[in-house]
Amino acid sequence: AAEKAEIEPKEQVTTQDHAMWKVRISEMLSVGRHPQRTRSTSGGSREGRGFDEPRIEVSDQAQNDGTEAASRNNHPSQTFLLYSLCQRWAWPAVTFRCSTHPHEAQSNIVDGKGDTVLHWACFGKPPLEAVEALLRACSELSSTANKQGQLPLHVAASYRASTQVVEALLEAYPQAAGEATNSGSMPLHLMCDYGASLESMRAVLATEWGAQTVHKPDRTYQRSPLRILSTRRNMIETQSALTKLRRLRCRQLELRQEGVAEQSEAIQELEAQVLPFRKLDYWRKAALLLQVEYTENPLQEGTEETRQVIHACAGVSKCPSTLLEMAILLYPEQLVEQDRNGQVPLHIAVATPGIRSMIEILEASPREALWSRDTNGLLPVQQAVSVGRRWGNGVGALLVANPAALETMDVCDGLYPRILSKLYIKGRNNAVFEAVRAKPSLFIQHPP
């Protein structure tokens, strides 16, 4: 009791001291008195509840620790100047106050919704210096969630904080990249939904916890980050880009079919019109998510998000069809590009569950891709058979596209009549001819 009596006078902040410090800091750092800023309710959250101005109270633990002598109904900003400065986003004053009164940054000093000083700071796009000052004063702030289950990183993701701030929060508590709010949203979901920067997403995906959330759906809408980005957030922009790209590629094809040498310059001009679409912000974010989901590893520093992006689309079983089509339209040369395993996108597609992506890649692939062999010496159709696909699940489509591949397959001679009949039923006029030409020995009569 004697020790507590000695501590309390030093820690307790009176109303007179509070007013004095406000005046002094305002004079020293030119922080004017302006109306209290509150969290906006017009935009609303993903759950439609918005961020309302809370009834603010001081936690019991703060009172028991001797850091606050007022009752629970008092606003923390009425007792702690640092809390008031964070609510007013007075960043120079916040940094200064953290250095002189670090005890005011304790993680147990919260309002009625459980928001700490760091939560309030992240609502206002804080500078890196202010966030670092708060974390130096109390590193536990980064791992303290409010009553909605939101860590400061969730708030920073929702309010598009700078990449430097996101990196600072991750450095203090990297596990935050894999934690969900009470509504089931993880930082990556919020970044895709609220338009965080590409570099901020890179910072989250570079952690092992963030990389593990790239395929997980949120609890409210059951949408993965990739689905949120491609269909909910940028649906109109995606359809507009696809329409323009289809026209450009169709015109290029028409010029190539004409076979006039003078058309090469026109083809190059059309290719130059494609380049701006490769730099679309949402497309680069989607390609980044695809790369991480395909490799199932944290993002490596310096990784180019669009490198072999069609391979990534082929390897992600739930890749949105719009993104796969955009990847093919933007980078058609990747359809014949081999990865480190010697596989073209068609190899990867036939080994991935589902048939939609495989058919789309097959229809876009040139003949060179159909005859491409991986490091094991397998053609795409051989790869399909080796992974257990059947005629109606992709093998038939591959053989119709490349009937001559029958020559390379270990097929019982007795099955050829049935295979040829199926090729005929598919409706391709020269498919049967090509299949017969691939193995004419079937029709040679051997002497008894």
Side-chain angles (χ1 to χ4, degrees):
E3 291 177 356
K4 185 175 180 180
E6 292 178 0
I7 294 174
E8 285 186 347
K10 296 180 181 180
E11 299 292 340
Q12 185 174 348
V13 182
T14 64
T15 304
Q16 183 178 0
D17 291 337
H18 179 262
M20 178 188 69
W21 273 105
K22 273 191 174 181
V23 173
R24 289 183 60 185
I25 292 179
S26 298
E27 292 176 350
M28 293 173 60
L29 302 175
S30 300
V31 180
R33 297 287 299 277
H34 50 273
Q36 178 83 10
R37 292 187 175 99
T38 60
R39 293 169 287 185
S40 173
T41 60
S42 58
S45 68
R46 297 179 69 250
E47 296 78 18
R49 291 192 294 270
F51 290 107
D52 300 325
E53 176 65 14
R55 289 188 313 162
I56 300 178
E57 57 187 17
V58 181
S59 69
D60 292 329
Q61 188 176 357
Q63 297 182 41
N64 296 334
D65 288 344
T67 59
E68 215 287 299
S71 66
R72 286 178 56 84
N73 293 327
N74 285 344
H75 196 298
S77 63
Q78 297 177 0
T79 306
F80 296 102
L81 180 55
L82 179 60
Y83 205 102
S84 176
L85 294 173
C86 286
Q87 287 186 304
R88 285 175 166 77
W89 305 340
W91 306 127
V94 168
T95 304
F96 177 78
R97 186 68 175 181
C98 285
S99 64
T100 58
H101 293 71
H103 64 276
E104 294 187 5
Q106 291 185 32
S107 60
N108 51 31
I109 301 177
V110 296
D111 61 18
K113 289 194 173 180
D115 291 322
T116 65
V117 287
L118 188 54
H119 283 98
W120 274 102
C122 290
F123 285 125
K125 294 185 179 180
L128 177 61
E129 295 76 12
V131 173
E132 288 180 335
L134 290 168
L135 291 173
R136 281 195 302 268
C138 182
S139 60
E140 295 178 359
L141 289 171
S142 60
S143 58
T144 302
N146 60 19
K147 292 184 178 180
Q148 293 181 340
Q150 297 169 332
L151 295 168
L153 181 62
H154 294 105
V155 179
S158 300
Y159 283 78
R160 299 188 292 276
S162 67
T163 302
Q164 293 78 11
V165 168
V166 171
E167 291 174 343
L169 294 172
L170 287 170
E171 183 178 358
Y173 186 55
Q175 294 87 341
E179 294 192 12
T181 64
N182 295 344
S183 61
S185 296
M186 299 178 186
L188 206 54
H189 295 102
L190 299 171
M191 286 182 168
C192 292
D193 205 0
Y194 290 103
S197 68
L198 176 68
E199 295 306 317
S200 295
M201 291 179 60
R202 278 182 172 273
V204 171
L205 292 171
T207 66
E208 60 176 301
W209 297 275
Q212 293 172 1
T213 67
V214 71
H215 65 279
K216 294 182 178 180
D218 62 2
R219 191 180 308 147
T220 304
Y221 298 106
Q222 290 298 306
R223 289 175 174 175
S224 67
L226 192 61
R227 182 68 61 177
I228 293 173
L229 189 67
S230 62
T231 59
R232 183 180 187 274
R233 178 75 185 178
N234 302 286
M235 184 181 296
I236 297 177
E237 189 175 3
T238 300
Q239 295 300 328
S240 175
L242 285 175
T243 300
K244 295 176 182 178
L245 285 170
R246 291 181 193 126
R247 292 173 181 171
L248 290 173
R249 293 305 187 191
C250 286
R251 181 55 183 159
Q252 281 185 326
L253 182 61
E254 292 172 358
L255 293 175
R256 289 192 179 96
Q257 290 175 344
E258 292 176 3
V260 182
E262 290 76 9
Q263 301 289 6
S264 59
E265 185 176 348
I267 293 175
Q268 293 299 323
E269 292 178 356
L270 291 172
E271 190 65 31
Q273 297 180 36
V274 174
L275 295 179
F277 293 97
R278 296 181 177 180
K279 300 178 181 179
L280 290 174
D281 184 64
Y282 85 91
W283 162 246
R284 295 179 64 194
K285 292 177 182 177
L288 196 66
L289 294 172
L290 285 167
Q291 293 283 4
V292 175
E293 187 168 356
Y294 172 54
T295 61
E296 298 181 346
N297 291 314
L299 188 68
Q300 300 297 318
E301 186 177 357
T303 300
E304 184 181 354
E305 61 271 4
T306 56
R307 182 180 180 275
Q308 294 188 340
V309 67
I310 301 182
H311 295 71
C313 290
V316 175
S317 59
K318 295 184 179 180
C319 174
S321 58
T322 53
L323 293 181
L324 175 58
E325 183 183 2
M326 180 165 286
I328 293 173
L329 291 171
L330 289 176
Y331 304 96
E333 67 279 2
Q334 292 185 8
L335 290 168
V336 295
E337 184 178 334
Q338 293 180 317
D339 62 10
R340 60 184 180 182
N341 296 320
Q343 295 184 330
V344 296
L346 192 55
H347 281 105
I348 300 171
V350 299
T352 304
I355 193 173
R356 177 186 53 79
S357 295
M358 193 211 77
I359 296 299
E360 191 168 347
I361 292 175
L362 174 62
E363 292 175 348
S365 295
R367 191 171 184 82
E368 181 183 351
L370 298 174
W371 284 105
S372 178
R373 295 182 181 271
D374 61 11
T375 53
N376 294 322
L378 297 179
L379 296 174
V381 65
Q382 294 172 316
Q383 175 86 345
V385 174
S386 68
V387 299
R389 284 187 180 270
R390 297 183 177 275
W391 180 272
N393 194 29
V395 174
L398 288 165
L399 285 176
V400 169
N402 187 19
L406 275 171
E407 183 183 6
T408 66
M409 301 176 66
D410 185 15
V411 180
C412 176
D413 291 350
L415 292 177
Y416 266 84
R418 185 174 182 182
I419 293 175
L420 295 176
S421 67
K422 286 182 175 290
L423 290 176
Y424 179 78
I425 292 173
K426 283 286 186 179
R428 182 177 169 186
N429 296 331
N430 62 341
V432 176
F433 169 74
E434 292 182 17
V436 172
R437 186 174 63 176
K439 200 165 184 178
S441 61
L442 289 173
F443 301 92
I444 298 177
Q445 290 186 356
H446 298 281

